Short mmCIF file of all heavy atoms in Angstrom, two decimals:
data_model
loop_
_atom_site.label_atom_id
_atom_site.label_comp_id
_atom_site.label_asym_id
_atom_site.label_seq_id
_atom_site.Cartn_x
_atom_site.Cartn_y
_atom_site.Cartn_z
N ASP A 83 16.31 4.47 -18.13
CA ASP A 83 16.69 5.54 -17.20
C ASP A 83 15.44 6.21 -16.64
O ASP A 83 14.53 6.57 -17.39
CB ASP A 83 17.52 6.61 -17.91
CG ASP A 83 18.98 6.23 -18.02
OD1 ASP A 83 19.44 5.41 -17.21
OD2 ASP A 83 19.66 6.75 -18.92
N ILE A 84 15.43 6.39 -15.31
CA ILE A 84 14.31 7.11 -14.70
C ILE A 84 14.77 8.31 -13.90
O ILE A 84 13.97 9.18 -13.58
CB ILE A 84 13.45 6.17 -13.82
CG1 ILE A 84 14.29 5.49 -12.75
CG2 ILE A 84 12.71 5.17 -14.65
CD1 ILE A 84 13.48 4.68 -11.76
N ASP A 85 16.08 8.39 -13.55
CA ASP A 85 16.59 9.54 -12.78
C ASP A 85 18.11 9.58 -12.90
O ASP A 85 18.76 8.55 -12.99
CB ASP A 85 16.17 9.41 -11.31
CG ASP A 85 16.40 10.70 -10.54
OD1 ASP A 85 16.30 11.78 -11.14
OD2 ASP A 85 16.71 10.62 -9.33
N THR A 86 18.68 10.80 -12.88
CA THR A 86 20.13 10.97 -12.98
C THR A 86 20.58 12.04 -11.99
O THR A 86 19.91 13.06 -11.85
CB THR A 86 20.54 11.39 -14.41
OG1 THR A 86 20.10 10.39 -15.31
CG2 THR A 86 22.03 11.58 -14.54
N GLU A 87 21.71 11.80 -11.32
CA GLU A 87 22.29 12.76 -10.40
C GLU A 87 23.80 12.77 -10.59
O GLU A 87 24.41 11.72 -10.78
CB GLU A 87 21.99 12.33 -8.95
CG GLU A 87 21.28 13.38 -8.14
CD GLU A 87 20.98 12.89 -6.74
OE1 GLU A 87 20.42 11.81 -6.59
OE2 GLU A 87 21.34 13.63 -5.82
N ILE A 88 24.44 13.95 -10.54
CA ILE A 88 25.88 14.07 -10.76
C ILE A 88 26.53 14.71 -9.54
O ILE A 88 26.02 15.69 -9.00
CB ILE A 88 26.17 14.94 -12.01
CG1 ILE A 88 25.58 14.28 -13.25
CG2 ILE A 88 27.66 15.17 -12.17
CD1 ILE A 88 25.65 15.13 -14.49
N PHE A 89 27.67 14.13 -9.09
CA PHE A 89 28.47 14.67 -7.99
C PHE A 89 29.90 14.85 -8.49
O PHE A 89 30.38 14.07 -9.30
CB PHE A 89 28.50 13.71 -6.80
CG PHE A 89 27.17 13.55 -6.13
CD1 PHE A 89 26.38 12.44 -6.40
CD2 PHE A 89 26.72 14.47 -5.20
CE1 PHE A 89 25.15 12.27 -5.78
CE2 PHE A 89 25.50 14.31 -4.58
CZ PHE A 89 24.72 13.21 -4.86
N ILE A 90 30.59 15.85 -7.95
CA ILE A 90 32.01 16.05 -8.24
C ILE A 90 32.76 15.97 -6.92
O ILE A 90 32.48 16.73 -5.99
CB ILE A 90 32.27 17.40 -8.94
CG1 ILE A 90 31.53 17.43 -10.27
CG2 ILE A 90 33.76 17.63 -9.11
CD1 ILE A 90 31.61 18.74 -11.00
N MET A 91 33.72 15.01 -6.84
CA MET A 91 34.52 14.83 -5.63
C MET A 91 35.86 15.51 -5.84
O MET A 91 36.45 15.39 -6.90
CB MET A 91 34.75 13.34 -5.34
CG MET A 91 33.58 12.69 -4.67
SD MET A 91 32.68 11.84 -5.88
CE MET A 91 31.86 10.55 -5.16
N LYS A 92 36.32 16.19 -4.82
CA LYS A 92 37.61 16.90 -4.91
C LYS A 92 38.74 15.97 -4.51
O LYS A 92 38.59 15.15 -3.62
CB LYS A 92 37.59 18.13 -4.02
CG LYS A 92 36.60 19.16 -4.50
CD LYS A 92 36.61 20.37 -3.64
CE LYS A 92 35.57 21.36 -4.15
NZ LYS A 92 35.44 22.50 -3.28
N ASN A 93 39.89 16.18 -5.14
CA ASN A 93 41.09 15.40 -4.86
C ASN A 93 41.84 16.03 -3.69
O ASN A 93 42.02 17.23 -3.64
CB ASN A 93 41.99 15.36 -6.10
CG ASN A 93 43.17 14.45 -5.93
OD1 ASN A 93 43.22 13.68 -4.97
ND2 ASN A 93 44.10 14.54 -6.85
N HIS A 94 42.23 15.20 -2.73
CA HIS A 94 43.05 15.66 -1.62
C HIS A 94 44.51 15.36 -1.97
O HIS A 94 44.81 14.35 -2.56
CB HIS A 94 42.67 14.93 -0.33
CG HIS A 94 41.26 15.15 0.08
ND1 HIS A 94 40.79 16.33 0.57
CD2 HIS A 94 40.17 14.31 0.04
CE1 HIS A 94 39.51 16.23 0.85
NE2 HIS A 94 39.11 15.01 0.52
#
Side-chain angles (χ1 to χ4, degrees):
D83 278 337
I84 56 173
D85 192 31
T86 301
E87 236 179 310
I88 298 173
F89 293 99
I90 298 175
M91 280 99 153
K92 294 181 181 174
N93 186 11
H94 299 289

